[in-house]
Amino acid sequence: QVHLVESGGGLVQAGGSLRLSCVASGSIALYYMRWYRQAPEQQRELIATIIGNTSVNYPESVRGRFTGYRDNDKNEIWIQMDNLKHEDTGNYYCNAASAPFVISANTSWGPGTQVTVSS
């Protein structure tokens, strides 16, 4: 099981950009990597899935504005968020889930990083 730490959150004006990073304590080669976010009093929302080096999926709420990446050599994933909206405000979390073929399945969450978009 890997430990995850996010960074890069902060306050940004609407229309601005932020780049979030998530660094793992060990190899992420055998993990599905995902970004989630959670607004106050709401459930966490999946916003990006990175299964392989070039496999990235996005929901309609962020598609065309957010882009996720991973670097297995650095045990790191990140997400570039452009044209931010007030509705994007929330805590952003990194998640690592072991691939289906892994015998000892496990899931890890980072502590989160706060993103606040002013209107």
Side-chain angles (χ1 to χ4, degrees):
Q1 187 171 0
V2 295
H3 291 88
L4 308 172
V5 179
E6 305 94 339
S7 63
L11 175 64
V12 64
Q13 297 179 4
S17 299
L18 283 175
R19 181 181 183 273
L20 306 182
S21 175
C22 172
V23 178
S25 62
S27 175
I28 61 172
L30 299 180
Y31 287 85
Y32 291 8
M33 303 300 297
R34 296 179 172 89
W35 284 101
Y36 288 79
R37 68 182 181 184
Q38 184 173 19
E41 301 182 356
Q42 296 186 21
Q43 295 184 353
R44 292 186 182 184
E45 175 190 16
L46 174 64
I47 59 172
T49 299
I50 311 173
I51 299 175
N53 291 338
T54 59
S55 298
V56 181
N57 296 318
Y58 313 93
E60 284 291 332
S61 58
V62 305
R63 190 175 301 152
R65 300 187 298 119
F66 293 5
T67 305
Y69 303 89
R70 72 185 292 161
D71 188 336
N72 287 349
D73 292 334
K74 295 183 178 180
N75 299 325
E76 179 183 14
I77 69 167
W78 63 94
I79 185 165
Q80 177 68 37
M81 307 188 297
D82 298 321
N83 193 24
L84 285 163
K85 305 175 181 179
H86 178 67
E87 305 87 77
D88 295 320
T89 295
N91 277 309
Y92 283 69
Y93 300 89
C94 177
N95 172 266
S98 57
F101 56 82
V102 175
I103 297 177
S104 182
N106 59 86
T107 302
S108 299
W109 290 92
T113 184
Q114 177 68 35
V115 172
T116 303
V117 184
S118 63
S119 60

